[in-house]
Amino acid sequence: MSAIQLHPAALTKAGFAPFGDVLEVAGADTRIINEGTTKRFHALATLDVADQNGVPGLSVFRATARPAPIKIAMMERHPIGSQAFFPLSDFPWLVVVCAAAIPSPATLQAFLASGNQGIQYAKNVWHHPLLIVEKEQDFLVADRLGNGDNLEEVWFEEGVYSELIIPSGL
Amino acid sequence: MSAIQLHPAALTKAGFAPFGDVLEVAGADTRIINEGTTKRFHALATLDVADQNGVPGLSVFRATARPAPIKIAMMERHPIGSQAFFPLSDFPWLVVVCAAAIPSPATLQAFLASGNQGIQYAKNVWHHPLLIVEKEQDFLVADRLGNGDNLEEVWFEEGVYSELIIPSGL
């Protein structure tokens, strides 16, 4: 059996719109503040984490690279909170999402994000955990903290997966 | 008249505790996730921005250096929302805060943050707008978005200021 190959598209706001927000300064609403010394790229995303038991919080995720070829054999989603990732070092990284109700290798989509682009998954959007190109990369993460069942996972059948192709030249 | 000189102390959780949170992986609660490929440094801070008219949001602030010597002639605070800053490039930066009810040059405190340290000002904590050492530095900012009067400023009298001393060797 051969795996389906998954080729990342460049991450853009339009392409990622069904899944959430792209956090980037390009195209953002800007304001000059602090006596002219700072440019605010305003409201790249609002966090959607407010409920009776949840609060928005900041964490750091330190991701390490998976062995190549990267096999996508599961997906996850967070039913009661959005989750935002922003890279803390300027290396490209990878995003895999799925618009189908139940993910399968045939319905995955991949994006290549630059080291200056973050993303926020909307609630209930199927996505793969962090995927990076460099050996190690830190991300600032804004998500829901608190009690509640905020994780669903789906694992593909034994031996079924997509192979994520990392673009050459990175 | 000579200005009061303000010398930054190294930023530590203990030193900054009266003013808010230090966002750093050192000493954080950690969890291994994503099939062992990611370390989560959990809940470095919770955002305190929830009210009827506000939502938590993410922005990028692009700071530029002020001319040396840096004069601290005003302070600001946000009465209805915490505000978190995390550097997106690994350069040290500077934090000026004040525990007094009404800031003056004699009551300011300064901290030197590393490029891997962020901070969150608690609500109502007097602080100076972004101060950097490099020519330009981006920060991911998590703060309250929405209507409401969330900014107070105090300006010192004409000609009154502190002079912020940038440690040598940076």
Side-chain angles (χ1 to χ4, degrees):
Chain A
M1 198 187 73
S2 66
I4 290 179
Q5 289 196 333
L6 184 59
H7 292 270
L11 180 66
T12 63
K13 285 188 169 110
F16 196 72
F19 307 105
D21 305 294
V22 175
L23 314 178
E24 62 182 359
V25 299
D29 176 22
T30 61
R31 301 170 184 190
I32 303 298
I33 58 174
N34 299 347
E35 298 176 85
T37 62
T38 300
K39 184 183 276 193
R40 178 175 180 137
F41 299 90
H42 183 66
L44 306 181
T46 58
L47 309 183
D48 181 17
V49 299
D51 61 60
Q52 288 183 327
N53 299 308
V55 294
L58 299 177
S59 300
V60 165
F61 281 22
R62 179 161 294 165
T64 54
R66 293 169 187 251
I70 297 174
K71 292 182 180 184
I72 306 299
M74 63 81 68
M75 297 284 276
E76 66 177 36
R77 63 180 177 178
H78 306 298
I80 54 175
S82 62
Q83 189 177 42
F85 293 84
F86 206 99
L88 295 177
S89 54
D90 187 4
F91 299 120
W93 58 293
L94 296 155
V95 175
V96 175
V97 287
C98 177
I102 301 174
S104 67
T107 56
L108 303 180
Q109 279 182 257
F111 295 95
L112 177 67
S114 79
N116 297 309
Q117 288 178 310
I119 56 96
Q120 177 171 253
Y121 299 115
K123 280 180 186 169
N124 259 326
V125 165
W126 289 112
H127 60 275
H128 193 274
L130 269 177
L131 295 165
I132 63 171
V133 174
E134 284 295 307
K135 201 168 171 186
E136 183 176 284
Q137 191 171 13
D138 283 359
F139 292 80
L140 193 67
V141 176
D143 64 3
R144 181 188 179 280
L145 305 178
N147 294 325
D149 191 3
N150 194 22
L151 175 63
E152 289 178 26
E153 292 182 349
V154 60
W155 288 80
F156 303 159
E157 282 179 62
E158 178 84 26
V160 174
Y161 58 89
S162 275
E163 189 179 308
L164 180 60
I165 307 301
I166 297 180
S168 59
L170 288 187
Chain B
M1 199 185 73
S2 66
I4 290 181
Q5 288 196 333
L6 185 59
H7 292 270
L11 180 66
T12 63
K13 285 187 169 111
F16 196 71
F19 308 106
D21 306 293
V22 175
L23 313 177
E24 62 183 357
V25 299
D29 176 23
T30 60
R31 302 172 183 190
I32 303 298
I33 58 172
N34 300 347
E35 299 175 83
T37 62
T38 300
K39 184 182 275 194
R40 178 175 180 137
F41 299 90
H42 184 65
L44 305 181
T46 57
L47 309 183
D48 182 18
V49 300
D51 62 59
Q52 289 184 327
N53 300 306
V55 292
L58 299 176
S59 300
V60 165
F61 281 23
R62 178 162 293 165
T64 55
R66 294 170 185 250
I70 297 174
K71 293 183 180 182
I72 307 297
M74 62 81 69
M75 297 284 278
E76 66 177 37
R77 63 179 177 179
H78 307 298
I80 54 175
S82 62
Q83 188 176 43
F85 293 83
F86 206 98
L88 296 177
S89 54
D90 187 3
F91 300 120
W93 59 292
L94 297 155
V95 174
V96 175
V97 287
C98 178
I102 300 173
S104 67
T107 56
L108 303 181
Q109 279 181 257
F111 296 95
L112 178 67
S114 79
N116 298 307
Q117 288 178 311
I119 57 96
Q120 177 170 253
Y121 299 115
K123 283 179 185 169
N124 259 327
V125 165
W126 288 113
H127 60 274
H128 193 273
L130 270 177
L131 294 165
I132 64 171
V133 174
E134 284 295 307
K135 201 168 171 185
E136 183 177 283
Q137 190 172 13
D138 283 0
F139 293 79
L140 193 67
V141 176
D143 64 2
R144 180 188 180 280
L145 307 177
N147 294 327
D149 191 2
N150 195 23
L151 176 63
E152 288 178 28
E153 292 183 348
V154 61
W155 288 79
F156 303 159
E157 282 180 60
E158 178 85 26
V160 174
Y161 58 89
S162 275
E163 189 179 308
L164 180 60
I165 306 301
I166 298 180
S168 59
L170 288 187

